[in-house]
Structure formats: C-alpha cells, structure tokens
C-alpha cells in the first residue's frame, strides 16, 4: 500500500480563531487597541530604521461604532499585503529589518486579527515608504474569513503609512467610542516613544514621571506621589527608584500606606518598550516585597504569546533579584539617614522587612535596632531587649507566651513572643549578628524553676490535698505542683510545652484506636514531661481550698482551678477539658445551693 505523499495546506476557520483569541489567549477585548498601537509603533520603528528623519506619529479617530488609526510607518505594498495579512503568523519583522528587530513590540498578522474580537470588518489602506512608486493598496476582511485586495489611486493615500478602519460587530460598539478609545490609549500607550493622539488629545506623556527633571527632591516626591495616586489609587509612604541600565529597566516602586497580607499578590505594571504589557505582573519582585507596587518600562524582558504577562526565564529571575536589591538599598539608606521615616514605614510594614531579614544577614544587622517584637517588657527591638536581659527567652507560639508572660514578668524573666510570623526564626538568628547573645526557648521547667519553693513543712501538711488533686487530674495527663509566686491574684498556672502536648495527643489517640493502631501508637510513647497545674501557695483562695475537710468539694475546686487556668492561658479546649469545666461548674453550684438549703 502506497502512502499519500501529496502536501496539503492547513485550513483556518477564522471564526474559530477569533473565538480562541477572545476567550483563551486574551483576557479582555480591550487588547484590540493595544494590538493596533503596537502595529503602528512597529511600522514607524521600521521606517525610521531606514529613514531616521521620517515623521513619527499615530492618530486615532473614533465615531459612531467606527475607529480609524493612521500611522506614518513603513507601509505595505500589494505583495506585502498578501504575505503578511492573508497569511496568519507571518511577521514583517523577519523581512529585511533584522537590525531593528529588538525594537519591535508585536507580530503584525496575529495582532491585526485580534481586532476581530470587537470588529465585524477590518479595512487596511497602506502605502509603502520602501517602494514609493507603488500605488496604495487596500485589504478588506470580514469576520467570516473572506477578504479582498485591490490597488487604489495615489490620491487614496498620498503619503507613506497605513490607515486601519474598524467597524464594530453587534454588541461591541462601546469599545469604539472616543471616550473608551482615549482611556485605553492612555492606559496602554502613555510611555510610547512617538506622538500618539486620539483626535486632538495627546496620549503620550514623556519623559516618564521618574525620568523628568524637578526643582528638588521634595518636588519630585510630590510629583511621584501624584502619579501613584492617579495610577494605583493611593498616596504612597515613599517611592523607590528602580533603575537597572544593564537590564534596560527604568521605573519606580511605591510603598503602600497600609499593611497588606504577604499572601496578597501585587499588581505591578510593566511596559515593554513603552507599551503597557500587564498591570498584574506579580512575579516581577521577590515575594517579601509585598509592601510595594511598582511600574517599570523595560526592553529586555520577554512577553508570553498573549503579550499580557512576562515569560518566566533566567532574565526575569535576574531582574527580580536586582529590583529586590534596590528595595534593600532603600531600606538600608533609611536606617542610616532617616530613622523617622524608617520608623513610620516599619509601623506599617515590619512583616515584610522581617521576611527579608530571615535570609539577609546584613539586613537583619541593619534592622536589629528597629524591628518591633512583642515582649514582657512591651514592644521592643531585639537589640534593646538583649541589652536588658542576659538570656533572651522566647516562646514558639502565641498560646505558650500567654501562658507564661504574666508569671515570667513577675519573676523578672524576660520573654519574647515568637508566635508571630517570622519572629522565632529571627530570634534564633540573633547570636549570628550579635555574638555572645544567649537565646533559649522558654519551657515549663524553666518557668517552674524560677518560682519559689514552699516551705517543706507546709507542703508536707498539704500532702493529702496534693495527692487527691493529682489523682483528680491524672486522667487529663496533668500533674500538680505547689509553688509560691507573684502576682498573688493568680491562683493557678497551667504549664506545658509542645512535647507534652504531642504526648497528650498521642495518648488520646491510643485510647480511641483499635488494637492494631493502639499497639503502634503505644510504641511511639515518649518520655516527655506531662503538663502541670502549678498552685500558688500565696493566693488566699488556694489556702482555703487546700484546708477543706470535704474531699469531694476539694476535688471539684481543683477541677475548677484547672479549667480557669486553661482559660487564662487562652488555650483551645479539648472535649475532656470542656466536660471538666461543665462538671466543675455544676458541682460548685450544687454545693452552694445545698449549703443554702441547709441554712448554712
């Protein structure tokens, strides 16, 4: 059997292609105007590569569902029209203009087809600057895939360049109104290097705000703040220049005036050779720089096929790192020369700086006197806290801090709350930037060791009560200890650590498991210390409870003290803890009402 070797040509369904463009490649119909601007700018760039003194202007006229775009670019011959407009994917940049290739924005054929997203008919009238004797040519196409090509008299387009006429498709007329066209042209083309106008209204605003000369730093700061408000809708705390000449990047980063979540993706604006590429370039800066919004113009970063986002490659990674370096330099400069502005910034965005300092020792060293932490001495920097305490104690969770902070403070133990994002990591890094500093995690044993022991004779006299209390709480995995500590108003303190909680969870799971899993969990039994309820011998209520003759009442009171200590530590309650609290509450009510009924 002989295979058919006859070559065939792909057939393209234009309606299907338009649907693909509008619903899958492009995020919005508004990109049609960007494609028209890109084609016009590229045509001018091509002409100026051969005729440096050629005019450089783009004019847009919108009226009653129609749009006309005129450019003074390289223009097309009839041969070019057949090659470029009737053959999808062919690019004029491949033919004879390699020297100017880096200056082009888009691809002519696909870009023009994108206009069918809003247009039912596209008509292109063009005259070539390369072949001035060639007559003007017209290419007219409809969204059903049909097109015609014809030559025109010289009077139809006397000067080199191209004019594109769009007629709106039903339901898309709003995209071709003058107001909408002007807004889109300003959004996409404000940084284009040529004179672009909608009617008589200028679109381009060069030089860019960050490149303009100003009378002084204050005037520049005010002008950039106005630009930020117009662009992003907020007045920035400060602005950071983003100038990377080697990478062909110019721009500015604006510092947000209010705190945002680190998980919130940033909407950075990226212009490619003056044309807006995207206003959602969240991959432009390192993740830790979530406290800024930036706008840049670049000629080095690669766009994706839709030209609505950046291609993730080594160049983008290098630019991201370099831009992060500029923001680091700005922070370092504030620390060295403007502590008041730095304090204002950190009051809002300390989380972002802490994220950076985890991986940048120099930044941690620079920010050490400024970054705030929650401590038993109030909100202090690590530097100030370390000067006050020979040992820097910290807890890993907020719950652990709340357990021990009041008692530790009363005993003179300084503690840092390491339960917030990044804080534990930074405290543990403290000795690397401050040699000689001793850092230690605060656990239950450390706290208990700092509490005063009770006189042995007094503790022996209460041995019966303590034994009954231990028996009462044994099923909850909690021991009971007697100490004397301040403040006197705290009757009991619940102490545990992560190891104790882990062992407690394992024991509960073992009780509820079948024989197989119970055996497995039993083999994982650890030697971690159990949680403990530390009773305050200096508290009058503890003294009264420990002297009760009614053992049942003393047991109920012990359960109530345990539950109150858990609540004071703001720990989440297990089902067994909730049941104990209910039981103790009801038991105390019964005891109180029983005594009243008996006339006591």
């Amino acid at each position: 059997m002989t295979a058919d070797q006859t070559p065939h040509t792909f057939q393209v369904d234009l309606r299907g292609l338009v649907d693909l463009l509008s619903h899958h490649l492009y995020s919005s119909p508004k990109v049609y105007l960007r494609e028209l601007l890109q084609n016009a700018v590229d045509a001018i760039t091509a002409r100026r590569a051969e005729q440096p003194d050629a005019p450089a202007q783009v004019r847009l006229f919108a009226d009653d569902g129609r749009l006309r775009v005129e450019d003074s670019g390289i223009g097309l011959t009839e041969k070019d029209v057949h090659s470029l407009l009737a053959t999808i994917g062919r690019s004029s940049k491949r033919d004879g203009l390699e020297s100017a290739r880096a200056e082009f924005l888009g691809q002519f054929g696909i870009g023009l087809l994108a206009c069918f997203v809003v247009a039912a008919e596209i008509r292109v009238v063009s005259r070539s600057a390369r072949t001035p004797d060639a007559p003007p040519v017209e290419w007219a196409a409809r969204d059903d895939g049909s097109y015609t090509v014809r030559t025109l008299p010289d009077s139809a387009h006397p000067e080199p360049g191209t004019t594109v006429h769009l007629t709106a498709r039903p339901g898309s007329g709003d995209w071709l109104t003058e107001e909408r066209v002007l807004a889109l042209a300003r959004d996409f083309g404000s940084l284009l290097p040529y004179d672009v106008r909608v009617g008589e209204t200028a679109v381009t605003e060069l030089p860019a705000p960050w490149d303009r000369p100003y009378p002084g730093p204050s005037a520049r700061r005010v002008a950039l703040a106005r630009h930020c408000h117009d662009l992003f809708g907020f007045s920035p705390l400060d602005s950071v220049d983003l100038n990377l000449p080697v990478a062909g990047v110019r721009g500015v980063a604006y510092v947000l005036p209010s705190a945002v979540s680190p998980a919130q993706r940033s909407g950075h604006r990226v212009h490619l050779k003056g044309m807006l590429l995207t206003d959602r370039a969240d991959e432009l800066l390192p993740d830790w720089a979530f406290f800024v919004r930036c706008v840049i113009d670049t000629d080095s970063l690669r766009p994706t096929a839709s030209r609505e986002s950046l291609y993730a490659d080594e160049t983008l990674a290098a630019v991201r790192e370099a831009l992060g370096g500029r923001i680091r330099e700005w922070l370092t400069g504030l620390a060295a020369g403007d502590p008041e502005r730095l304090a204002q910034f950190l009051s809002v965005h300390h989380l972002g700086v802490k994220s950076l300092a985890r991986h940048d020792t120099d930044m941690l060293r620079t920010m050490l006197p400024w970054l705030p932490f929650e401590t038993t001495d109030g909100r202090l920097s690590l530097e100030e806290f370390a000067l006050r305490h020979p040992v820097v104690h910290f807890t890993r969770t907020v719950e652990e801090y709340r357990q021990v902070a009041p008692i530790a403070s009363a005993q003179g133990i300084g503690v840092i709350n390491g339960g917030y994002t990044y804080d534990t990591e930074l405290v543990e890094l403290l000795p690397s930037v401050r040699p000689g500093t001793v850092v230690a995690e605060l656990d239950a044993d450390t706290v208990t060791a700092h509490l005063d022991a009770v006189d042995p004779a007094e503790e022996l006299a209460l041995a019966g009560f303590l034994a009954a209390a231990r028996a009462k709480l044994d099923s909850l995995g909690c021991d009971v200890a007697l100490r004397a500590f301040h403040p006197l108003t705290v009757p009991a303190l619940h102490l545990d650590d992560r190891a104790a909680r882990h062992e407690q969870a394992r024991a509960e799971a073992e009780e509820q498991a079948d024989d197989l899993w119970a055996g497995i969990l039993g083999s994982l039994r650890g030697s971690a210390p159990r949680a403990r309820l530390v009773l305050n011998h200096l508290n009058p209520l503890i003294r009264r409870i420990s002297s009760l003759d009614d053992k049942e009442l003393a047991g109920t009171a012990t359960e109530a003290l345990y539950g109150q200590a858990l609540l004071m530590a703001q720990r989440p309650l297990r089902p067994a803890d909730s049941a104990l609290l209910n039981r103790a509450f009801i038991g105390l009510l019964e005891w109180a009402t029983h005594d009243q009924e008996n006339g006591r």
Side-chain angles (χ1 to χ4, degrees):
M1 181 176 180
T2 304
D4 182 4
Q5 297 296 320
T6 305
H8 299 276
T9 302
F10 283 105
Q11 300 298 312
V12 176
D13 177 3
L14 187 58
R15 289 185 184 273
L17 181 59
V18 169
D19 180 74
L20 177 66
L21 293 174
S22 60
H23 294 102
H24 301 284
L25 185 62
Y26 297 124
S27 62
S28 165
K30 70 180 181 180
V31 298
Y32 87 91
L33 193 70
R34 184 195 63 192
E35 300 297 342
L36 289 174
L37 288 176
Q38 283 184 347
N39 287 339
V41 169
D42 285 344
I44 294 172
T45 301
R47 184 175 180 183
R48 284 204 154 188
E50 299 182 3
Q51 304 172 16
D53 296 330
Q57 62 184 33
V58 182
R59 298 290 183 264
L60 299 93
F61 303 93
D63 181 45
D64 193 26
R66 296 178 181 274
L67 175 65
R68 184 173 84 254
V69 182
E70 302 174 353
D71 70 66
S72 58
I74 193 69
L76 302 171
T77 64
E78 183 177 1
K79 179 181 178 182
D80 293 333
V81 166
H82 282 289
S83 175
L84 301 176
L85 299 187
T87 305
I88 296 172
R90 181 72 60 83
S91 173
S92 60
K93 292 75 169 180
R94 299 171 184 163
D95 302 318
L97 292 175
E98 292 301 318
S99 62
R101 185 182 183 90
E103 301 302 321
F104 291 117
L105 297 172
Q107 187 175 46
F108 191 78
I110 289 292
L112 194 59
L113 280 179
C115 294
F116 279 120
V117 172
V118 298
E121 181 179 338
I122 302 173
R123 188 164 64 92
V124 178
V125 180
S126 186
R127 184 163 193 162
S128 174
R130 284 202 194 103
T131 314
D133 294 336
V137 62
E138 177 193 76
W139 176 84
R142 298 190 59 81
D143 60 359
D144 61 4
S146 63
Y147 72 92
T148 60
V149 178
R150 62 176 178 146
T151 57
L152 302 175
D154 289 347
S155 59
H157 210 290
E159 297 296 327
T162 300
T163 301
V164 179
H165 303 262
L166 299 187
T167 302
R169 64 167 53 229
S172 297
D174 287 346
W175 289 102
L176 301 186
T177 62
E178 183 174 14
E179 182 181 6
R180 178 68 70 89
V181 168
L182 177 59
L184 292 177
R186 281 176 167 167
D187 193 39
F188 285 119
S190 62
L191 299 183
L192 289 174
Y194 305 132
D195 179 19
V196 180
R197 295 176 183 269
V198 176
E200 298 299 322
T201 305
V203 169
T204 51
E205 301 176 358
L206 294 179
W210 50 84
D211 285 332
R212 295 172 191 167
Y214 296 99
S218 296
R220 186 175 191 272
R221 188 176 297 117
V222 170
L224 289 179
R226 187 182 307 114
H227 175 250
C228 176
H229 190 274
D230 293 342
L231 200 61
F232 294 114
F234 66 85
S235 298
L237 284 178
D238 206 348
S239 57
V240 185
D241 283 321
L242 302 177
N243 183 14
L244 303 174
V246 175
V249 173
R250 290 283 300 168
V252 62
Y254 293 115
V255 181
L256 291 164
S258 56
V260 294
S261 167
Q264 180 175 324
R265 307 308 293 174
S266 303
H268 305 304
R269 291 175 64 91
V270 176
H271 294 255
L272 180 61
K273 305 179 182 71
M275 181 72 72
L276 178 67
L277 180 72
T278 179
D279 57 4
R280 299 186 299 272
D282 53 23
E283 70 275 34
L284 186 65
L285 292 181
D287 290 342
W288 56 260
F290 56 82
F291 50 82
V292 299
R293 297 289 181 272
C294 69
V295 52
I296 67 165
D297 187 25
T298 177
D299 57 17
S300 63
L301 299 178
R302 291 174 55 198
T304 58
S306 66
R307 295 195 295 283
E308 293 190 280
S309 59
L310 295 171
Y311 189 80
D313 58 10
E314 294 181 357
T315 302
L316 177 59
V319 168
R320 182 190 302 118
E321 181 63 27
L323 292 178
R326 290 289 183 269
I327 297 174
R328 277 196 297 267
E329 291 170 5
W330 168 75
L331 284 170
T332 303
L334 286 186
D338 200 340
E340 185 175 338
R341 283 171 66 201
L342 177 64
Q344 181 186 13
F345 166 76
L346 289 178
S347 67
V348 179
H349 295 299
H350 56 274
L351 197 60
V353 180
K354 286 181 177 180
S355 175
L356 171 60
R358 291 179 304 150
H359 307 294
D360 191 323
T361 303
D362 291 337
M363 181 58 63
L364 177 59
R365 186 178 291 107
T366 301
M367 292 292 125
L368 203 57
W370 308 101
L371 289 174
F373 289 77
E374 182 181 355
T375 78
T376 48
D377 294 351
R379 288 189 70 80
L380 298 175
S381 69
L382 289 181
E383 176 72 20
E384 188 173 357
F385 187 85
L387 289 173
R388 295 186 181 188
H389 299 279
V391 178
V392 177
H393 287 105
F394 71 94
T395 63
R396 292 188 181 274
T397 68
V398 174
E399 290 78 9
E400 290 173 352
Y401 178 80
R402 289 170 177 167
Q403 280 188 77
V404 302
I407 307 304
S409 180
Q411 309 308 311
I413 307 172
V415 185
I416 294 175
N417 184 357
Y420 296 115
T421 307
Y422 310 132
D423 284 7
T424 289
E425 295 172 77
L426 294 177
V427 172
E428 291 179 324
L429 287 171
L430 187 57
S432 67
V433 295
R434 197 177 187 277
T437 303
V438 179
V439 173
E441 182 177 356
L442 188 68
D443 56 21
D445 287 336
T446 304
V447 176
T448 305
H450 280 78
L451 305 180
D452 294 334
V454 178
D455 181 85
E458 294 185 37
E459 186 168 4
L460 182 61
L462 299 177
F465 164 74
L466 292 175
R470 291 182 182 118
K472 199 72 174 176
L473 300 182
D474 182 67
S475 62
L476 297 171
C478 183
D479 289 331
V480 177
L482 186 66
R483 293 290 187 275
F485 56 87
H486 293 273
L488 300 180
T489 54
V490 177
L493 176 66
H494 182 270
L495 294 176
D496 66 358
D497 52 28
R498 285 173 300 130
R501 289 195 295 275
H502 177 75
E503 173 62 20
Q504 192 174 62
R506 186 211 58 77
E508 291 176 356
E510 182 181 356
E511 289 180 4
Q512 300 173 8
D514 56 29
D515 292 342
L516 174 61
W517 282 108
I520 295 174
L521 291 170
S523 67
L524 299 176
R525 183 180 296 111
S527 58
R530 304 173 76 192
R532 68 195 66 175
L533 181 69
V534 183
L535 303 178
N536 187 1
H537 188 56
L538 300 180
N539 181 269
L541 177 61
I542 295 298
R543 288 179 175 270
R544 288 197 296 272
I545 292 175
S546 62
S547 62
L548 287 173
D549 294 328
D550 189 334
K551 301 303 180 183
E552 183 176 347
L553 176 59
T556 300
T558 299
E559 289 182 330
L561 288 171
Y562 172 83
Q564 188 264 351
L566 283 180
L567 294 175
M568 289 297 294
Q570 301 183 43
R571 293 291 306 280
L573 299 180
R574 300 169 297 162
D577 298 329
S578 299
L580 174 142
L581 275 171
N582 290 331
R583 185 169 64 249
F585 179 71
I586 296 299
L588 291 175
L589 282 179
E590 288 179 347
W591 176 80
T593 54
H594 178 268
D595 281 354
Q596 194 171 34
E597 288 175 355
N598 286 277
R600 292 185 183 179

